[in-house]
Structures are given as structure tokens and as C-alpha cells.
Amino acid sequence: MPVRLTAFLSDAPVRRKIFPDAGAYMLGRSEKADLQIPDRRVSRAHARLTATEGGWRLEDLMSKNGTQLDGRLIDSVMITRDAWAALGGAPVLFEFIDDGTARSMAGTRARREADAASIKSSITSNQQATALLQDFVDGVIELSGCDRGSVWFTDDSDTPVLALRRGNETPPESLGAIRQVLQTGGPIITHDIEGLEAIARRSSVRLGGVRALACIPFVVPGATAGAVYADSKKPGRFFTELDLEHLHGLTAHAALTLASLRLRDQIAGFIAIGD
């Protein structure tokens, strides 16, 4: 039976891959790994996963920090049911799926691609700035599967200023995550794993009851102008590489459209002065 592996990373989208029920696959930090897990605790060639008639065999490849299955350190073990593994401490979820589910997942990806394209097409420079941001944040919530979304810009003191929020005002957003995105220009991703402690959960997030968040830069040509934020109180919420790809694509489209809108208004102003 095919198996789906989901590797959870701190402050990065999860790595997810389906392996057919044939062959042997290497798991590790190396770019040549069949499932690459870019975590410093994971060895370059950390473990091998092999399909057998009785299930899947997981073997540790003499890794530096070891391999665990359901909390027990292993050298080699058969996996016959859904289970949690830890490669050097990096959590990996093993899930058995049938061929129909694997095909359905491929169809789901195609539908999500179509949804992302549809949301992008609804954001145009024919809108007013407020309406554009509303449609943009609504799209962020839909694509991320979160409860709330907001967009923030910076003032002269580099302080985050709320431009627009869709969803509840409380608990407050994690300003620490927003400031870090503004300073580094890189995304912040925080997951919550059902049945386990949350990964990289900040105190402001924990106290507010937020289980997962994604915060990415809002970039206009030449500078990081702000940040886009989405969070969720749903247990077990996590973000995949596809989620982050769609959020980056939608944000880039909204930033360019907003810049085009402002340029159009500036040109209209110059024409009015000339008249």
C-alpha cells in the first residue's frame, strides 16, 4: 500500500511526499534524498524506507542523532500502520493510503491551483485600494485555511501598522512574528501537530490560543513594504510548501497590482494639474 510521509520543520512549511508500494527510498538532509528534510538534527543520509510484502521497513543508516518510531529508538523496524517517527528529533508522520486516495490528492492539488488562479484574477487595478486589500486578505484566508488574515505596513519608525484585518480582533496578532518578517524579509511559519507539542510556538501565540500562523513579506519593487499575516485556532493545522507557494504568488500579485493602482492615480493627478 502506498505511504504518505509528512516531515514537520520549525518555521518552514512541511515536506510531504507519497511513495508507491515498491522500491527503497532514502530520507535525510541531502538534496539527493527521496524525501529531503532540511533540519540540522537530521543526517544527510539518515534512514532508508523500503517497501515489502508485509509493510514498510524503516532502517536507521547509522545517523548521528538516531531514529525513533512512536517514541522508541530503532535500528530497523517494520511499519504496518500509521505512526510517528522522529529523525534526529524532526517529526515525520507515516500514513498508509490506498491508490484511490493518492489519485484524489493529485486532483486536489489541481483544484487548489485553479482556486489560486481564480483569486488572483479577481484582484485588479480597476478596484479601489481598500477593496483590493479586502479581496486580497479574503484570498489569503481561503488559500491558507486560516480563521483570520491581516496586512501590515511600516511607518517611518519601522513600526508595523495595521492596514486591514478580516476576522476576529482578538487575540492580537503576533507582532514579534510580523517584526521579524519586516526585518529579515523572510517568512515565518508555525505549525501545530495533533497530539504533540506545537513546534516553535511563541508565547504570544500560545497565550492567545493560536495554534498555527503564517507570516510572509509584502514586497513592492525595491523594498519590503509590509507583511501578510494569517493564523488559526484549529488543532492540527500546518502549512505545506504548496500553501506557501500560493501565498507568495497571491501576495506578489497583490503588491504589483497595488503599485499599478497607485501609479495610475499619480498619473491621473498629473493630468488633472496639467488641465
Side-chain angles (χ1 to χ4, degrees), residues 202-274:
R202 292 167 174 77
S203 59
S204 59
V205 176
R206 182 173 61 253
L207 293 174
V210 170
R211 307 293 292 264
L213 70 83
C215 188
I216 63 175
F218 190 97
V219 181
V220 295
T224 299
V228 180
Y229 178 99
D231 64 20
S232 174
K233 291 185 176 183
K234 301 170 186 174
R237 183 70 184 97
F238 57 84
F239 301 95
T240 66
E241 291 181 295
L242 183 61
D243 291 328
L244 195 61
E245 177 185 328
H246 285 163
L247 290 176
H248 274 302
L250 178 60
T251 300
H253 175 74
L256 288 174
T257 305
L258 184 61
S260 174
L261 186 155
R262 289 177 173 174
L263 178 61
R264 184 198 66 190
D265 290 346
Q266 289 174 355
I267 292 173
F270 288 136
I271 294 174
I273 292 173

Side-chain angles (χ1 to χ4, degrees), residues 56-76:
W56 288 84
R57 179 170 295 280
L58 178 65
E59 302 172 77
D60 183 78
L61 299 178
M62 299 182 68
S63 64
K64 180 179 179 180
N65 294 317
T67 299
Q68 296 182 5
L69 185 72
D70 289 336
R72 299 180 63 182
L73 195 64
I74 62 101
D75 292 319
S76 178

Side-chain angles (χ1 to χ4, degrees), residues 124-194:
T124 73
S125 57
N126 294 326
Q127 300 172 284
Q128 296 297 318
T130 299
L132 186 154
L133 289 178
Q134 287 177 345
D135 287 349
F136 165 57
V137 176
D138 286 344
V140 167
I141 293 173
E142 181 176 347
L143 290 179
S144 67
C146 286
D147 309 313
R148 171 179 62 176
S150 55
V151 59
W152 300 71
F153 295 118
T154 56
D155 60 15
D156 293 336
S157 64
D158 292 330
T159 300
V161 176
L162 177 65
L164 188 139
R165 177 192 291 119
R166 303 286 272 183
N168 293 332
E169 296 183 4
T170 56
E173 289 90 342
S174 174
L175 289 180
I178 295 169
R179 289 191 180 98
Q180 185 171 332
V181 168
L182 294 174
Q183 290 170 0
T184 66
I188 293 285
I189 304 291
T190 297
H191 307 293
D192 184 66
I193 304 176
E194 190 89 41

Side-chain angles (χ1 to χ4, degrees), residues 33-54:
D34 295 293
L35 177 64
Q36 185 190 21
I37 307 174
D39 186 304
R40 59 183 176 80
R41 298 170 295 177
V42 177
S43 298
R44 291 181 59 80
H46 195 104
R48 180 185 296 113
L49 186 66
T50 306
T52 72
E53 291 184 0

